[in-house]
Amino acid sequence: MYSKAFAPEYQGVLGSALSVNSSYEEVLAKATEEQRRSTLGYARAGLAVAEANRRLGRVADAERAWRDSYRAASRAGDSAAMAWALWSGGTLARQRGRLALARRWLAAAAECAERGGDRIARGYALAGLAETGRIQGDYAAVTELHERLLAEARAHGEARHTVWALEGIAQMHRNTGSYDTALAMFEEAAEIAAAAEDARGHAWALRGIADVLSVRGETERALELLTEAEVVCRAMRLESALAYNHKMRGNVLFRAGRYEEAREVYSGALEEFRAIGEPRGEALSRLGLVKSRAYLGRSAAQTEAELAELDETFRRIGLDHARSMLRRFRAELEGQTAA
């Protein structure tokens, strides 16, 4: 049995004043007010400021806020608050495509949380490390950690963390071709998120379901689910999630052979990722654009030049799975040329 979703990053009095679905403008207003109360209060409220700004795509403000929160927590001698600040910093680093730095901050967060006796902070830090490895495509290294975190979340009835773990494991199954398993896990995540009133987790799960349905050829149903998820993203101003939603819409249209529509959607997603400083999403959108333009008649030489540049970008960021996708598309083009 799962309890209603809650946001442990909203700490102290903010925990009772804010919910997992609070608007980020409300979060910023209440957290800024709370920062005036004490050094520890400043650290805890600073975490909320950092997370709200990160999710709004204001990366410079988020960077300042998590570092300010960490320094205040350090002055107060609170290891748990330090852990949460480091978790926020590691999550932001991953969002910005700085994966090695993300691992560094998240590992430090796990150590601080263990020292401070904060089980939830430690779980979030380990989850961040698992997600970083998954994004890189290092499934062998992080599958066991994902599954252990899922078991812990289920045991404690933590809906939000259960949804996160289910979605992460489902994504790995989807990427390795186990579509039935992936779909079942995304659907379970959507059900738990909806029951726990976790709008953000529900939107991410809907995107995962849409992805698998699209692979199976259910284009219109996939587009309907993405539209449903987009409503949530816009209502909560989830800028990053909205951009990824649009990139997925491009994927769905591309798979359906609707290349001109896909090109337009990928172009819009690319601008959204650039606006919030998210290089991983930017690079993935560029790959979608290259693929769409190739099918719309772009020359082989221009396509190969862009693929070579993107391959280097993926290598620099550390996105091994994305490089595999690029190599498969390159082989596909070469096969068409040979034929």
Side-chain angles (χ1 to χ4, degrees), residues 278-299:
E278 192 154 339
R280 172 174 167 258
E282 181 181 337
L284 291 171
S285 297
R286 285 181 59 203
L287 178 58
L289 264 177
V290 172
K291 292 166 67 175
S292 299
R293 288 168 175 163
Y295 276 95
L296 289 168
R298 196 179 186 90
S299 75

Side-chain angles (χ1 to χ4, degrees), residues 121-151:
R122 183 175 180 274
Y124 269 63
L126 292 176
L129 284 168
E131 185 169 353
T132 304
R134 177 176 59 77
I135 285 171
Q136 290 183 282
D138 191 4
Y139 300 157
V142 299
T143 296
E144 183 181 351
L145 181 54
H146 269 84
E147 291 174 346
R148 176 158 58 86
L149 291 168
L150 173 60

Side-chain angles (χ1 to χ4, degrees), residues 191-229:
E191 290 173 7
I192 294 172
E197 299 177 25
D198 177 5
R200 188 158 57 102
H202 190 244
W204 280 102
L206 291 180
R207 194 190 73 166
I209 295 170
D211 185 23
V212 178
L213 293 180
S214 167
V215 171
R216 291 179 162 181
E218 299 181 44
T219 302
E220 295 309 317
R221 179 56 181 153
L223 292 173
E224 289 171 4
L225 290 172
L226 290 173
T227 298
E228 183 181 343

Side-chain angles (χ1 to χ4, degrees), residues 10 24 34 43 51 57 77 87 104-105 125 129 131 147 157 160 163 174 195 218 224 227 246 269 295 318:
Y10 303 152
Y24 293 123
E34 182 62 20
E51 282 302 287
W87 165 78
R104 175 184 167 190
W105 291 142
L129 284 168
E131 185 169 353
E147 291 174 346
R160 194 178 178 207
V163 167
R174 178 260 178 267
E218 299 181 44
E224 289 171 4
T227 298
H246 288 156
Y295 276 95

Side-chain angles (χ1 to χ4, degrees), residues 92-135:
L92 178 63
R94 184 178 63 242
Q95 181 173 311
R96 299 176 75 178
R98 303 173 68 183
L99 302 185
L101 183 61
R103 288 194 300 273
R104 175 184 167 190
W105 291 142
L106 291 165
E111 291 175 7
C112 277
E114 189 158 6
R115 194 162 58 244
D118 192 322
R119 180 188 61 81
I120 295 177
R122 183 175 180 274
Y124 269 63
L126 292 176
L129 284 168
E131 185 169 353
T132 304
R134 177 176 59 77
I135 285 171

